[in-house]
Amino acid sequence: MRKPIIAGNWKMHKTIDEVISFVNHIKEEEIPSNIESAICAPSVYLSLLKEKLQETPIRVGAQNVHWEKAGAFTGEVGVPMLASLGVDYVIIGHSERRAYFGETDETVNKKVKAVLESTLLPIVCVGETMDEREQDKTAQIAGKQVRKAFEGVQAEEMRRVVIAYEPVWAIGTGRSATEKDAQEVTEYIRGVLAHLYNSEVANHVRIQYGGSVTPENIALYLEQPDIDGALVGGASLHPDSFLQMVRAIEMG
Ligand code: PGA
């Protein structure tokens, strides 16, 4: 059985006061442990979040990382830095990084390999643009991004990976994929993993859906046989909304 993982992606949001108020709110609440939950925050808050959330089951993730361990890379953060803070996850290849910061399948692959050398778990994002969907290239794009992201990754390491299927057109638009479409693509991705590795690995890897997930629609995705959680942007910013989503399985 794959343990679902609900991860909030705060993107470039919140001041320190807002982070503290979110954490204080959430610490008063019962957090279910039948799922994994995580907050992926701007790197300046990771240390604080690790400290404040240590008595809760909520894990902490970064939103990006460099593939080199250290060096003359002004403005970048390396895997050993995140590991030394006890950070649990790191998002790699988010479509905003691919679109605005020159992230490519090659850099995604380097980052995935660097992260898998550490104790951190990568959340690797793949997904098609609206143009690509309209040209019926959804499966082709997801397949290509998956193959390139995990080039050279061994089966044993692959078991630790989380994949987030995030159609670009659904991110931050309020226009989520239907649960049927999301299931179809996640099932396809699992098939690609079975082909690249074997069915045991394919059945072990967790695949999230992301793109305009809310407390209102999350249960629909979680009910799908190949969807193992969600990567949530906007709806993860408010503590009540985040809590409703991490409790969605309990309620369902
Ligand atoms: P959204 O973002 O939930 O605001 O659509 C999802 C994401 O970018 O991971």
Side-chain angles (χ1 to χ4, degrees), residues 4-9 94 123-128 130 133 138 162-187 189-190 205-214 217-233 245:
I5 165 171
I6 313 287
N9 172 12
H94 190 279
I123 300 177
V124 182
C125 302
V126 299
E128 80 288 358
M130 185 42 97
R133 173 160 284 257
T138 301
V162 177
I163 296 176
Y165 166 57
E166 297 207 304
V168 178
W169 49 271
I171 296 177
T173 57
R175 202 179 149 198
S176 50
T178 64
E179 65 275 18
K180 185 173 158 291
D181 283 348
Q183 161 58 26
E184 208 174 285
V185 184
T186 46
E187 187 180 0
I189 292 171
R190 217 174 278 293
V205 170
R206 292 177 294 176
I207 308 179
Q208 300 172 305
Y209 166 73
S212 296
V213 173
T214 64
N217 66 20
I218 192 166
L220 293 174
Y221 299 109
L222 298 178
E223 281 164 9
Q224 304 305 312
D226 285 289
I227 301 181
D228 310 310
L231 183 58
V232 188
M245 291 184 291

Side-chain angles (χ1 to χ4, degrees), residues 16-205:
I16 186 90
D17 291 347
E18 290 164 347
V19 172
I20 290 168
S21 130
F22 183 102
V23 166
N24 288 344
H25 187 124
I26 226 136
K27 279 176 78 168
E28 313 250 296
E29 305 280 337
E30 197 73 43
I31 313 284
S33 52
N34 58 341
I35 61 145
E36 250 171 73
S37 53
I39 292 169
C40 300
S43 53
V44 287
Y45 301 133
L46 294 174
S47 175
L48 177 84
L49 283 171
K50 273 309 289 186
E51 185 196 317
K52 298 266 185 204
L53 294 174
Q54 65 181 330
E55 271 135 43
T56 78
I58 302 175
R59 304 192 182 180
V60 175
Q63 300 174 5
N64 183 33
V65 73
H66 197 274
W67 58 85
E68 292 289 348
K69 289 190 169 69
F73 302 103
T74 302
E76 292 293 321
V77 170
V79 176
M81 297 174 189
L82 297 178
S84 70
L85 297 183
V87 168
D88 307 285
Y89 288 97
V90 54
I91 299 174
I92 297 177
H94 190 279
S95 68
E96 286 150 18
R97 297 220 56 90
R98 292 182 193 250
Y100 310 135
F101 302 101
E103 190 88 88
T104 63
D105 287 336
E106 287 68 35
T107 58
V108 168
N109 178 247
K110 287 186 188 182
K111 291 178 181 189
V112 167
K113 288 199 273 202
V115 168
L116 286 172
E117 280 178 23
S118 75
T119 54
L120 274 83
L121 306 184
I123 300 177
V124 182
C125 302
V126 299
E128 80 288 358
T129 61
M130 185 42 97
D131 250 16
E132 290 160 343
R133 173 160 284 257
E134 280 170 358
Q135 293 171 43
D136 268 339
K137 287 188 178 158
T138 301
Q140 186 189 325
I141 295 296
K144 173 180 145 271
Q145 290 178 339
V146 166
R147 275 192 302 277
K148 297 253 185 168
F150 305 118
E151 221 165 71
V153 172
Q154 302 305 309
E156 222 13 73
E157 299 171 315
M158 191 61 209
R159 298 164 61 91
R160 294 170 47 219
V161 169
V162 177
I163 296 176
Y165 166 57
E166 297 207 304
V168 178
W169 49 271
I171 296 177
T173 57
R175 202 179 149 198
S176 50
T178 64
E179 65 275 18
K180 185 173 158 291
D181 283 348
Q183 161 58 26
E184 208 174 285
V185 184
T186 46
E187 187 180 0
Y188 175 79
I189 292 171
R190 217 174 278 293
V192 173
L193 296 177
H195 182 75
L196 290 175
Y197 296 93
N198 54 55
S199 57
E200 195 274 329
V201 170
N203 286 328
H204 194 88
V205 170

